Amino acid sequence: MRMRQLGALCGLMLLTLAVLASARPKAGSEQKCKSGPVDLVFLIDSSRSVRPYEFETMRKFMIDILDTLDIGPNTTRVGVVQYSSQVRSEFSLKTHTRLDSMVKGINQIIPLAQGTMTGLAIRYMMNVAFSAEEGDRPKVPNVAVIVTDGRPQDRVAEVAAEARQKGIEIYAVGVARADMASLRAMASLPFEDHVFLVESFDLIQQFGQQFQDKLCGADLCLESDHGCEHICESSPGSYHCLCLPGYTLNDNGKTCAAVDLCAGRKHDCEQICVSSPGSFTCDCNKGYKLNDDKTTCSMIDYCSFGNHTCDHECVSVLGGFLCRCDEGYRLLGDGTTCRAIDLCAEGKHDCEQICISAPGVFTCDCHKGYTLNEDEKTCTAIDLCAEGKHDCEQICISAPGVFTCDCNKGFKLNRDKRTCTNMDLCNTVEHGCEHQCVSTPGSYYCICPEGQLLQEDGKSCGTSLSPSACKSANIDLVLLIDGSKSVRPQNFELVKQFVNQVVDSLDVSAHGTRVGLVQYSSRVRTEFPLNMYHSADEIKAAVMKVVYMEKGTMTGLALKHMLEHSFSEAEGARPPSRNIPRVGLVFTDGRSQDGITEYTKKAKEAGITMYAVGVGKAVEDELREIASEPVEKHFYYTTDFSAISTIAENLKINVCPEESQGEIEVKDPCACESLVEFQQATMSSLDQFTQKLAGITARLEQLENQLLSRK
């Protein structure tokens, strides 16, 4: 058995040596082919179906063809590419310039022995083998010889067509199992000259002879009736027809047809396309001219000629021009003149008072003393009284944009035309004098019959002075009540009852406690100032007449108004030198819509004692911020409006000293533990003394007035 294998191996080796011996250029070969310069690439199938001795036959086939060619860098260049499942270049068009080195390269080829990816090989040949980098020369015919023994395992028709379009002339040689349809899909036309199918590799030499005849044959354009209408171009062993520029070759491969770029819409003319073979020129319709780009058209600009008479703007139209006016102007009948459109004069406006015209538009304005509303059309009289932009002490009489001041009955307007003097307080206020009231300009005092003395309350009479019960100290009290929409009308009535309940606990008089009332919502309104009423009954009656405002909750704005207006001497607050305590009470049912911190702080810094009363959705943090220290004694809250009467009962707006009257508590400075505590103790004692002294001074003034009246 081993001997038979050795014998077979020896036989194969002898066959290979025999083929190799014949795969050499023939000594003294006949005259070389003088076909002119050609770039030739062999594309050889080395798939596993090609047996070793068949591959050797194919190797000899290539060498025999080369032996007939004029090999050289300026004549015929040859490259070899083998393929199976992959593609490998054995040598390129520029690798060898002599036949002997080229034959040596062919004899050194080792088969790949895999699949049959013919399409992949054609693409490589087209993109790489026939490239300048690999030695391909411009304007030199490209010829490819594809040798295969089987059906391709990938698509060949598309890539072969692409290669032919690039000018590569393809010869397809099939051996034994090759598929004729695939060969025709790869080869150039005509098929009878470019497709060869032989039964075995032994017969492949037949193609070599025919290929040599084609490559080295005569110039068929000169020696045959080629039938080309325009141009016949020879190639080795063949020819093909070409057309002049502007023409395309018809399907018969011989005649030519003019290329009409206009009909095929292969132009970029905007309006008119004028065709010539393979070219075109552009033109324009009547009234238009061709632009510098030779493709687009522009309407002839008659205005640019400068012979128009338009007032404002000349507009070119097809075949002429027309005039147009700027916005706000109207073109007159002569077609050239423009006139401003006066909408005010034409009555085409909706201004309530004054119409100010501009060309084509208008704006509205108002007479002096009126302000233009948000609709920018209607006007509203400026009510300085309602806006609080006045300094009348009692009555403000409004006229558009101005005001005048007046006084209540029993009062006289002073020379400043702003303030008022009460000419008869005794007959206009609840004076409370036990015996007799004596009026003075802007004030009054009480006197007693002979033999009796005016008591400390300044009203009652007695045989001697005796301390009276302190219902409430003399204070200036301003109540800020929330009149926002969330309060509701029925609850606002409860708020007014709450105010009157507080008033009932006070000793109201011109020289005693004074009460002012401010209502606020989105704005602030003084219902009555501190100096308007001097009895509890007057105040309570005025409170019940207060009209509910509704809208927002601007607590910060109300605090600002209280500080800047309500506690001013113009509105009845007594001078700081009198040491009359100032008390502010804020009543609210919700969160403030503006900031309260600034004016809460300023009020306390001004010496105003602040009370905060909240109900319902009032915010505890805001109430505590408003209230003076200690907060627990100045802050009240209830969830229900019906419970505010209980708050009024518990509210102790009482600045009477808790100590027995007539005594001043003096803290022993030696008991102080620090300098700060010593200073605080000293100031506290001094404040008590100052308050007591002020009371004595007021009492002496009353006694002096009494004595003067008796004289």
Side-chain angles (χ1 to χ4, degrees):
M1 181 72 176
R2 187 178 181 91
M3 292 298 292
R4 284 199 299 270
Q5 290 176 342
L6 287 172
L9 184 58
C10 290
L12 181 60
M13 290 175 66
L14 290 172
L15 179 61
T16 303
L17 289 171
V19 173
L20 284 173
S22 61
R24 293 188 179 92
K26 298 176 182 178
S29 59
E30 58 272 12
Q31 187 178 0
K32 299 292 184 180
C33 173
K34 301 295 183 179
S35 62
V38 175
D39 288 339
L40 171 65
V41 172
F42 288 99
L43 202 61
I44 57 174
D45 180 358
S46 63
S47 60
R48 65 175 62 91
S49 61
V50 179
R51 296 174 178 83
Y53 70 89
E54 293 176 334
F55 190 83
E56 295 305 324
T57 303
M58 189 158 46
R59 198 192 307 265
K60 181 178 183 301
F61 154 74
M62 289 188 290
I63 293 173
D64 287 347
I65 290 178
L66 296 181
D67 188 46
T68 65
L69 301 178
D70 184 11
I71 304 297
N74 298 319
T75 53
T76 301
R77 295 185 182 183
V78 179
V80 177
V81 176
Q82 69 159 318
Y83 71 93
S84 59
S85 297
Q86 56 184 312
V87 179
R88 187 169 72 196
S89 174
E90 297 300 335
F91 54 83
S92 68
L93 291 169
K94 67 180 180 179
T95 303
H96 301 291
T97 60
R98 295 188 356 261
L99 178 60
D100 55 349
S101 62
M102 199 174 290
V103 171
K104 183 178 180 181
I106 292 174
N107 285 329
Q108 291 175 347
I109 296 174
I110 300 175
L112 294 170
Q114 295 174 356
T116 309
M117 302 296 286
T118 309
L120 180 66
I122 295 173
R123 186 166 298 281
Y124 179 88
M125 171 196 72
M126 174 178 63
N127 294 335
V128 180
F130 281 116
S131 67
E133 292 79 10
E134 294 290 301
D136 183 53
R137 292 167 290 178
K139 298 182 180 180
V140 172
N142 291 159
V143 178
V145 177
I146 303 174
V147 182
T148 180
D149 79 327
R151 184 188 299 274
Q153 294 176 339
D154 57 354
R155 299 173 65 89
V156 296
E158 293 83 356
V159 68
E162 188 178 349
R164 293 194 301 270
Q165 276 188 331
K166 289 189 175 183
I168 301 173
E169 185 176 4
I170 300 176
Y171 290 85
V173 180
V175 181
R177 298 169 292 278
D179 176 47
M180 177 57 79
S182 299
L183 296 176
R184 292 171 70 90
M186 293 185 287
S188 297
L189 292 174
F191 292 141
E192 58 268 20
D193 293 335
H194 294 84
V195 178
F196 297 88
L197 180 61
V198 295
E199 295 179 0
S200 68
F201 278 93
D202 295 335
L203 300 176
I204 196 171
Q205 302 301 331
Q206 296 176 3
F207 166 73
Q209 186 60 45
Q210 295 179 32
F211 177 71
Q212 181 181 349
D213 293 342
K214 295 291 182 183
L215 196 62
C216 300
D219 188 339
L220 297 181
C221 288
L222 297 175
E223 300 182 7
S224 67
D225 185 10
H226 53 76
C228 296
E229 183 178 358
H230 284 181
I231 300 169
C232 175
E233 183 175 81
S234 293
S235 60
S238 183
Y239 70 91
H240 59 276
C241 297
L242 298 175
C243 296
L244 296 172
Y247 293 82
T248 182
L249 194 65
N250 292 327
D251 292 340
N252 60 15
K254 296 181 181 294
T255 60
C256 298
V259 177
D260 188 348
L261 297 178
C262 294
R265 299 199 63 81
K266 294 179 180 179
H267 66 89
D268 51 359
C269 297
E270 184 178 6
Q271 292 186 359
I272 300 172
C273 178
V274 181
S275 181
S276 59
S279 183
F280 67 90
T281 55
C282 298
D283 202 353
C284 299
N285 297 324
K286 185 177 180 181
Y288 292 84
K289 63 177 182 177
L290 194 65
N291 293 328
D292 292 340
D293 61 8
K294 302 302 180 182
T295 58
T296 59
C297 299
S298 295
M299 189 172 63
I300 297 173
D301 186 1
Y302 290 93
C303 293
S304 66
F305 299 160
N307 57 356
H308 66 83
T309 56
C310 298
D311 253 6
H312 286 176
E313 183 183 358
C314 175
V315 181
S316 289
V317 296
L318 191 61
F321 69 90
L322 54 82
C323 296
R324 185 162 60 194
C325 297
D326 296 338
E327 187 175 359
Y329 291 81
R330 182 180 292 120
L331 190 67
L332 299 185
D334 61 6
T336 60
T337 309
C338 296
R339 179 178 295 168
I341 300 171
D342 188 345
L343 296 178
C344 293
E346 296 177 8
K348 297 178 180 179
H349 68 90
D350 48 4
C351 298
E352 184 179 4
Q353 291 186 0
I354 300 172
C355 177
I356 301 171
S357 182
V361 295
F362 68 88
T363 55
C364 298
D365 202 356
C366 299
H367 298 307
K368 185 177 181 180
Y370 292 81
T371 182
L372 194 64
N373 295 328
E374 290 184 2
D375 61 7
E376 298 185 347
K377 298 174 184 178
T378 58
C379 300
T380 300
I382 299 172
D383 189 345
L384 297 177
C385 295
E387 295 176 8
K389 297 178 179 178
H390 68 91
D391 50 1
C392 298
E393 184 178 8
Q394 291 187 0
I395 299 173
C396 178
I397 301 172
S398 182
V402 295
F403 68 89
T404 56
C405 298
D406 202 355
C407 299
N408 297 322
K409 185 177 181 181
F411 289 79
K412 177 184 177 183
L413 191 65
N414 296 328
R415 289 183 179 180
D416 61 7
K417 302 298 182 183
R418 300 287 184 266
T419 59
C420 300
T421 298
N422 194 332
M423 303 307 294
D424 189 8
L425 282 174
C426 291
N427 291 325
T428 57
V429 301
E430 187 68 32
H431 55 76
C433 295
E434 182 180 338
H435 177 62
Q436 184 179 346
C437 175
V438 179
S439 291
T440 60
S443 185
Y444 72 91
Y445 61 89
C446 299
I447 60 174
C448 294
E450 189 174 354
Q452 294 189 18
L453 296 175
L454 194 64
Q455 300 299 303
E456 286 189 0
D457 61 2
K459 298 180 180 181
S460 58
C461 300
T463 55
S464 62
L465 293 174
S466 62
S468 60
C470 180
K471 180 180 182 183
S472 175
N474 293 346
I475 62 173
D476 287 342
L477 170 65
V478 175
L479 297 102
L480 306 178
I481 59 173
D482 183 353
S484 62
K485 188 175 181 180
S486 59
V487 173
R488 306 286 178 84
Q490 62 271 26
N491 291 330
F492 190 71
E493 294 302 316
L494 295 177
V495 174
K496 293 195 289 187
Q497 293 176 18
F498 165 81
V499 172
N500 283 345
Q501 197 172 351
V502 172
V503 172
D504 281 336
S505 67
L506 305 173
D507 184 14
V508 179
S509 68
H511 296 287
T513 293
R514 296 184 181 181
V515 178
L517 181 64
V518 174
Q519 183 185 177
Y520 70 93
S521 59
S522 297
R523 56 190 179 92
V524 181
R525 183 173 71 201
T526 299
E527 301 295 351
F528 51 83
L530 287 166
N531 58 5
M532 182 166 285
Y533 301 114
H534 301 293
S535 70
D537 290 340
E538 286 179 307
I539 292 173
K540 290 162 64 177
V543 169
M544 296 312 294
K545 293 178 182 178
V546 172
V547 178
Y548 177 37
M549 292 175 71
E550 296 190 351
K551 297 190 177 178
T553 310
M554 304 293 282
T555 310
L557 185 63
L559 288 166
K560 180 178 184 291
H561 181 88
M562 177 197 74
L563 183 64
E564 296 178 352
H565 299 284
S566 302
F567 280 116
S568 66
E569 292 183 35
E571 293 201 4
R574 285 166 283 194
S577 61
R578 295 280 302 275
N579 292 320
I580 304 297
R582 295 181 176 183
V583 179
L585 187 149
V586 178
F587 183 98
T588 182
D589 83 321
R591 181 186 294 274
S592 175
Q593 294 175 338
D594 61 351
I596 65 170
T597 301
E598 179 183 357
Y599 287 99
T600 295
K601 181 180 179 183
K602 287 183 177 181
K604 294 174 183 177
E605 289 174 350
I608 301 172
T609 302
M610 295 301 301
Y611 286 81
V613 179
V615 64
K617 295 182 179 180
V619 180
E620 182 177 346
D621 289 345
E622 289 186 356
L623 297 174
R624 288 183 173 275
E625 185 175 355
I626 294 170
S628 294
E629 296 290 345
V631 174
E632 288 69 21
K633 291 185 178 181
H634 298 82
F635 156 66
Y636 299 88
Y637 174 77
T638 180
T639 58
D640 192 353
F641 276 90
S642 62
I644 60 176
S645 60
T646 305
I647 292 179
E649 293 174 4
N650 296 330
L651 189 63
K652 303 298 182 183
I653 308 176
N654 193 340
V655 294
C656 287
E658 297 180 359
E659 298 78 25
S660 59
Q661 292 189 2
E663 295 181 1
I664 299 176
E665 178 187 9
V666 180
K667 186 171 182 180
D668 181 8
C670 297
C672 299
E673 295 181 1
S674 66
L675 177 60
V676 174
E677 188 175 350
F678 171 77
Q679 292 172 339
Q680 291 174 344
T682 303
M683 293 302 296
S684 176
S685 300
L686 189 60
D687 288 344
Q688 293 182 47
F689 176 78
T690 303
Q691 292 176 9
K692 189 65 177 179
L693 184 60
I696 294 171
T697 302
R699 178 61 179 151
L700 288 174
E701 289 177 356
Q702 293 175 352
L703 290 173
E704 183 181 1
N705 291 333
Q706 185 174 5
L707 290 172
L708 289 171
S709 65
R710 289 180 180 177
K711 292 179 180 180

